[in-house]
Amino acid sequence: MSQKLTLALSKGRIFEETLPLLKAAGIVVTEDPETSRKLILPTNDPLVNVIIVRASDVPTYVQYGAADFGVAGKDVLLEHGGEGLYQPIDLEIAKCRMSVAVSAGFDYASAIRQGARLRVATKYLLTAREHFARKGMHVDLIKLYGSMELAPLVGLADAIVDLVSTGGTLRANNLVEVEHIMDISSRLVVNQAALKLKRERLQPILDAFEKASGQSA
Ligand code: ATP
Ligand code: MG
């Protein structure tokens, strides 16, 4: 049986940080997604292709079996829900944290004390809703698709829930981190049917990923 495998990755940090793991599994992507216009990239293994999709679409491609496996951030997986996905390995790549941030002049602590109903802009509605519910805070969530840092600066929101790594973008926009919600890293996700039907092909790759990610962590 031909066991063709399709791996879903997003451009940028996930693609870059997955390359060494692929290499450990003997797989080399032979075209650069930053310069190629192709969305299906070949590898040195004629039976392995990489598809390039939006970071938040990776779980969907894998869930429906359009890709056999993929790499997605915990942020993205929490919003997706993980249905149909087997999540065997935390690859410990694309590490950052999900945080609440506000304008430097905004007194978050006293707003909470006074029971103010805050407006919070985020791409991560489910995670944000759960966080504030756990704290017993009433918030109005505003869904954005990017550039969350802008929202408090122009009065769209009192706070944002976003990913932070160095804090450089927050500082550059005069925002301060006021709550750490969770640590984020990327996981390998595998289609549940593919795991059964293509185990022979997949397992050595999963093993190599696991070994290589443990080493780099
Ligand atoms: P899109 O560009 O499609 O809107 P995106 O901006 O979330 O999506 P990336 O910036 O490539 O895409 O982020 C992909 C994943 O990398 C995120 O889901 C998250 O898990 C992780 N990530 C995001 N920002 C950072 C960061 N600053 N440092 C480390 N990892 C990050
Ligand atoms: Mg981004």
Side-chain angles (χ1 to χ4, degrees):
M1 181 173 41
S2 135
Q3 296 231 312
K4 222 167 156 30
L5 289 179
T6 299
L7 171 64
L9 296 176
S10 52
K11 256 202 252 195
R13 54 172 60 88
I14 288 196
F15 181 83
E16 300 299 331
E17 295 186 35
T18 302
L19 286 184
L21 304 175
L22 283 169
K23 186 128 185 274
I27 298 166
V28 179
V29 186
T30 47
E31 271 185 63
D32 177 0
E34 298 299 336
T35 52
S36 171
R37 286 163 189 253
K38 284 187 193 164
L39 296 174
I40 303 180
L41 302 178
T43 71
N44 64 328
D45 183 336
L47 291 179
V48 180
N49 281 330
V50 172
I51 62 171
I52 300 296
V53 304
R54 287 291 289 265
S56 46
D57 290 335
V58 166
T60 307
Y61 278 85
V62 176
Q63 172 188 4
Y64 289 99
D68 299 295
F69 61 143
V71 176
K74 183 177 176 186
D75 51 322
V76 161
L77 289 167
L78 287 173
E79 294 296 312
H80 171 271
E83 200 190 325
L85 303 177
Y86 174 61
Q87 301 184 28
I89 313 170
D90 182 351
L91 299 172
E92 303 200 47
I93 61 170
K95 284 186 175 182
C96 53
R97 57 192 184 273
M98 194 174 298
S99 295
V100 181
V102 300
S103 285
F106 183 78
D107 190 344
Y108 183 68
S110 93
I112 293 177
R113 241 180 289 114
Q114 289 161 17
R117 190 176 181 105
L118 298 185
R119 281 213 300 204
V120 181
T122 187
K123 185 162 140 183
Y124 305 103
L125 288 184
L126 291 180
T127 311
R129 185 173 295 127
E130 197 169 304
H131 171 71
F132 292 110
R134 214 166 30 230
K135 289 177 58 86
M137 285 172 64
H138 292 285
V139 298
D140 292 316
L141 293 176
I142 300 176
K143 166 86 180 182
L144 289 179
Y145 292 88
S147 301
M148 268 73 80
E149 296 86 0
L150 183 61
L153 306 181
V154 296
L156 178 63
D158 305 301
I160 59 172
V161 168
D162 198 6
L163 300 177
V164 183
S165 49
T166 62
T169 308
L170 293 182
R171 269 190 302 281
N173 290 293
N174 205 25
L175 301 174
V176 290
E177 203 173 346
V178 288
E179 267 164 15
H180 172 242
I181 300 179
M182 65 177 77
D183 289 322
I184 300 286
S185 57
S186 283
R187 291 174 174 270
L188 191 69
V189 294
V190 184
N191 175 272
Q192 283 173 353
L195 187 67
K196 295 198 189 87
L197 299 170
K198 303 188 181 180
R199 181 131 219 167
E200 219 174 296
R201 280 287 286 144
L202 274 167
Q203 195 61 53
I205 300 176
L206 304 196
D207 291 345
F209 271 39
E210 174 141 50
K211 198 152 160 254
S213 66
Q215 278 166 3
S216 67

